[in-house]
Amino acid sequence: MSTLMTEPAAGRFGDFGGRFVPESLVPACDALAAAFREAWADPAFRAELDELLVVYAGRPTPLTPARNLSADLGIELLLKREDLAHTGSHKINNVLGQALLARRMGKGRLIAETGAGQHGVATATAAALLGLEATVYMGERDIERQQLNVLRMTTLGAEVVPVGSGSRTLKDATNEAMRAWVSDVDRAHFLLGSVGGPHPYPWMVRELQRVIGVEARRQSRTVPDVVVACVGGGSNSAGTFAGFADTSARLVGVEAAGGAAMTNGSPGVVHGARSMVLQDADGQVAEAESVAAGLDYPGIGPEHAHLGAIGRAEYHTVKDDEVVEAVRRLARSEGIICALESAHAVAWVLRAAGTPELPTGSRVVLTLSGRGDKDMATLLGGAS
Amino acid sequence: MTALVPYVTGGISADWTDYLLAYQEAGATAIEIGLPFSDPMLDGVTIQQASDRALSRGATVVSILQDLDRVRGRLRVPLIVMTYANLVFHRTPEGFCRELADAGISGLIVPDLPVDEAKPVARAAAEAGIDLIPLVAPVTPDDRLEQIAALGSGYIYAVSVMGTTGERATLGSSAAGLAARVKAVTDRPVLIGFGVSSPEQAAEAGRAGDGVVVASALMRRVLDGATPAEIRETVAGFAAALEVSADYAYAEVSGDRR
Ligand SMILES: Cc1ncc(COP(=O)(O)O)c(C=O)c1O
């Protein structure tokens, strides 16, 4: 089974993926694919990345038994603690890999899109560490609701460019980042934050996030019944799933009800790949609507579309109010304040535990993709 | 003699088809009609705003193609549609190309459809009898230019700058070099577009290629409220710089099969 394991030929995952970009970007995508293939096979590159993941990012992150919730719910719940990674989310895994690759390719500048700001913060962090410039595109609406991360990015020396077009969220920030890349393709690396976009991004980002799943598999010792993670573009889930692809574990992705490309979308071509997309009858991309800026996105990475199509992974949705409640419940029962994005996975477990969807006694590995500091203002302001 | 291909975003106003007539009167050789897409990755702010305005007026592929009925019989110049891949695949390449052909469209430009992904669309376009006009960029290597020149039919569209659509103070320095590289591998005529903002720049581009696309410079004026009569003068300025005459036919340069 090659899904979640190998480089996809021509960037295709079954009917999905590919490279739908302007001709101006094709040579850059080709060069990036070749550079990543070579670097990934180079023990020196791997050693440098692994070392950074340990001494800088704080890996491995623990697998924490959620003792109180487990007792309450009648399951065994294990939390993969990406919230404890440097910068506060899994995004650092991908960013350190791509930033090292950018430097290896001789690029002096990183361009990134961000929704919740976690990917932007990680990019600004890696740029500071490696002496690169960083420009981060962020929707105006996300700038308002993720102020803390905007301040972190500027403190780290990155330029944050507000995007006022369309829904003023992640979708539009991604458009603008791609436009910026076309205009500076020689000097800049487009540091995409999830498993979407044109080949090689879905493959490269999944490989760079694989560390989550590999560690969790080792730490959980026996194979769990269910592996669950939240899904925006799908990188923390893809990285988690990759560690369990060849096991019998059920793979569960949890989408925001208002941004559920797998559940409510149809095949389409957006941001460089064919995947599942929320769109209207004419093929115009719909605006997503979620309390979690990082999941407020109408698309999903193409490998997820394929995993769903072949039935290897299942995708569920949870609503904003369940998510806000899940943040509180996890905080009060385990002393862990997780990100609104990560709380989608928690909310599904809270709802499903003890039902046929997640029977009593199940052993569950849940990736807690990030910490919730950035969301305090949102939680205080209205969602109570 | 060089072809002048002005652009309009379909559905941008209730009377948008009057721009087609105005362009024709001003000496357009062919006209490019943009079918607006929600996420125009290769467009600068002017075409983005034009697309948003058309979409917020409720413009759809069907409504824009239907609007063309209003000028049928009066419009003699060929029409080329420019739109993004999702609108093509959403209706299936076969269905989309047939709809275009039924509406009297002669050509199709899809900026996010590189040659590697274009086969199903090229096949559907050929079957429907419309030209799939492929794009080349300053960074396209020569061996890839040959591959692209074998795709579709009619013009080759040379993107003159590394960047999005939008007005620029000077014509991209790579325009002439790119056109020459295309001409070295194919007899197909070369359209030059992206950032052609003034009649002087159009004349310069016209010396390098066989045709010039003018988009943002016109759409900014349309967004600012220019009427079809006012835009006619603007387009006439480009036509004069290119020395096109009003009866110059697309078929002469494109090898159009109709
Ligand atoms: C904490 C956190 N989790 C999850 C996501 C969603 O991204 P992905 O699905 O790629 O993991 C984000 C994105 O901003 C995030 O910040």
Side-chain angles (χ1 to χ4, degrees):
Chain A
M1 199 193 74
S2 64
T3 306
L4 289 169
M5 302 305 279
T6 55
E7 175 181 355
R12 262 172 233 292
F13 306 93
D15 286 343
F16 301 101
R19 185 186 282 164
F20 293 85
V21 294
E23 178 63 21
S24 307
L25 290 178
V26 170
C29 288
D30 272 338
L32 184 61
F36 179 66
R37 197 175 298 125
E38 188 209 26
W40 208 229
D42 176 357
F45 180 86
R46 299 290 286 261
E48 186 176 10
L49 175 58
D50 287 349
E51 157 116 5
L52 274 185
L53 289 174
V54 172
V55 303
Y56 188 70
R59 302 208 72 88
T61 58
L63 188 70
T64 304
R67 294 189 206 287
N68 301 323
L69 262 189
S70 293
D72 283 358
L73 298 173
I75 60 171
E76 184 185 355
L77 179 61
L78 302 163
L79 304 175
K80 181 59 178 161
R81 300 290 304 281
E82 294 304 295
D83 60 312
L84 293 178
H86 181 44
T87 68
S89 83
H90 70 293
K91 298 286 182 186
I92 194 74
N93 308 326
N94 167 46
V95 164
L96 285 175
Q98 285 197 50
L100 284 180
L101 186 63
R103 195 185 61 183
R104 185 181 167 103
M105 294 175 77
K107 307 285 183 184
R109 179 177 177 223
L110 304 176
I111 293 172
E113 82 300 340
T114 197
Q118 287 299 129
H119 175 58
V121 167
T123 300
T125 298
L129 179 69
L130 299 181
L132 305 169
E133 273 173 57
T135 309
V136 181
Y137 290 86
M138 188 167 187
E140 285 173 352
R141 177 147 181 250
D142 293 337
I143 286 181
E144 283 157 28
R145 58 180 165 169
Q146 307 279 224
Q147 266 300 323
L148 176 65
N149 278 345
V150 177
L151 293 173
R152 292 170 79 199
M153 283 185 268
T154 51
T155 302
L156 289 158
E159 181 194 9
V160 179
V161 182
V163 176
S165 56
S167 52
R168 299 154 60 235
T169 59
L170 180 55
K171 163 174 98 76
D172 313 283
T174 307
N175 289 334
E176 213 47 44
M178 293 189 85
R179 291 179 187 122
W181 191 31
V182 183
S183 307
D184 193 20
V185 75
D186 276 346
R187 206 170 69 87
H189 170 67
F190 177 31
L191 208 167
L192 186 60
S194 194
V195 288
H199 180 58
Y201 287 100
W203 160 57
M204 176 171 66
V205 177
R206 177 249 280 160
E207 286 307 301
L208 292 170
Q209 293 291 5
R210 174 183 294 278
V211 63
I212 306 173
V214 168
E215 286 176 9
R217 168 88 174 271
R218 190 178 65 231
Q219 292 163 325
S220 75
R221 288 193 288 273
T222 60
V223 173
D225 301 305
V226 177
V227 172
V228 57
C230 71
V231 179
S235 68
N236 85 87
S237 51
T240 306
F241 292 177
F244 297 90
D246 57 349
T247 73
S248 58
R250 270 169 68 200
L251 307 177
V252 177
V254 186
E255 303 183 286
M262 285 302 288
T263 308
N264 300 322
S266 55
V269 176
V270 180
H271 294 151
R274 183 178 153 84
S275 189
M276 298 297 279
V277 182
L278 293 176
Q279 54 189 326
D280 71 11
D282 211 37
Q284 306 297 344
V285 180
E287 296 184 359
E289 181 59 58
S290 166
V291 68
L295 308 192
D296 205 345
Y297 181 68
I300 186 170
E303 193 162 27
H304 285 289
H306 178 58
L307 288 169
I310 63 173
R312 178 62 187 96
E314 53 192 281
Y315 297 85
H316 300 286
T317 66
V318 294
K319 297 201 178 70
D320 283 353
D321 55 350
E322 297 177 88
V323 170
V324 170
E325 176 52 30
V327 172
R328 297 227 160 92
R329 179 104 184 255
L330 187 70
R332 307 251 165 124
S333 60
E334 305 298 332
I336 297 170
I337 300 177
C338 72
L340 284 166
E341 289 78 14
S342 324
H344 284 67
V346 178
W348 177 76
V349 167
L350 293 177
R351 187 177 71 201
T355 74
E357 257 194 351
L358 185 58
T360 300
S362 298
R363 197 152 179 276
V364 179
V365 166
L366 183 156
T367 295
L368 213 57
S369 56
R371 70 177 187 226
D373 311 38
K374 68 186 180 58
D375 299 320
M376 290 303 103
T378 303
L379 289 175
L380 277 174
S384 54
Chain B
M1 179 110 82
T2 310
L4 171 62
V5 185
Y7 165 99
V8 66
T9 300
I12 185 153
S13 60
D15 60 354
W16 73 274
T17 49
D18 289 348
Y19 291 107
L20 302 175
L21 297 172
Y23 288 179
Q24 172 174 274
E25 278 174 44
T29 321
I31 298 173
E32 193 178 315
I33 299 175
L35 300 184
F37 179 52
S38 53
D39 294 83
M41 185 210 282
L42 201 58
D43 282 304
V45 66
T46 303
I47 308 285
Q48 286 176 47
Q49 284 173 2
S51 302
D52 284 349
R53 190 179 292 184
L55 290 173
S56 63
R57 286 191 61 256
T60 63
V61 171
V62 168
S63 77
I64 290 168
L65 295 179
Q66 268 173 2
D67 286 346
L68 293 175
D69 287 341
R70 302 196 298 236
V71 287
R72 207 168 304 287
R74 282 187 287 165
L75 209 57
R76 300 176 309 278
V77 295
L79 302 176
I80 301 168
V81 152
M82 132 83 202
T83 197
Y84 283 83
N86 196 46
L87 295 192
V88 179
F89 285 101
H90 192 70
R91 314 172 85 80
T92 76
E94 295 72 28
F96 184 77
C97 290
R98 218 176 304 118
E99 279 179 86
L100 294 190
D102 289 348
I105 304 292
S106 340
L108 171 62
I109 301 170
V110 187
D112 58 344
L113 187 73
V115 58
D116 326 270
E117 303 285 356
K119 273 203 196 76
V121 182
R123 207 178 306 123
E127 260 164 45
I130 63 176
D131 292 329
L132 177 67
I133 298 170
L135 295 94
V136 297
V139 291
T140 306
D142 285 336
D143 55 343
R144 199 172 153 84
L145 279 183
E146 280 181 45
Q147 219 184 315
I148 295 172
L151 177 76
S153 52
Y155 281 102
I156 306 269
Y157 191 129
V159 174
S160 61
V161 292
M162 289 301 292
T164 60
T165 58
E167 291 171 89
R168 287 176 174 80
T170 55
L171 186 69
S173 56
S174 37
L178 176 58
R181 289 202 297 127
V182 174
K183 292 202 158 290
V185 299
T186 179
D187 294 333
R188 289 169 71 174
V190 178
L191 266 183
I192 295 182
F194 276 49
V196 179
S197 312
S198 67
E200 296 71 35
Q201 289 173 21
E204 192 186 336
R207 284 190 287 277
D210 303 291
V212 177
V213 178
V214 183
S216 297
L218 302 177
M219 293 318 290
R220 183 181 44 79
R221 299 211 54 219
V222 170
L223 285 168
D224 288 347
T227 63
E230 287 162 346
I231 284 288
R232 186 177 57 216
E233 295 314 306
T234 313
V235 176
F238 282 93
L242 286 169
E243 297 174 19
V244 292
S245 63
D247 55 13
Y248 182 59
Y250 172 76
E252 291 172 31
V253 285
S254 76
D256 187 320
R257 295 172 311 282
R258 291 161 318 130

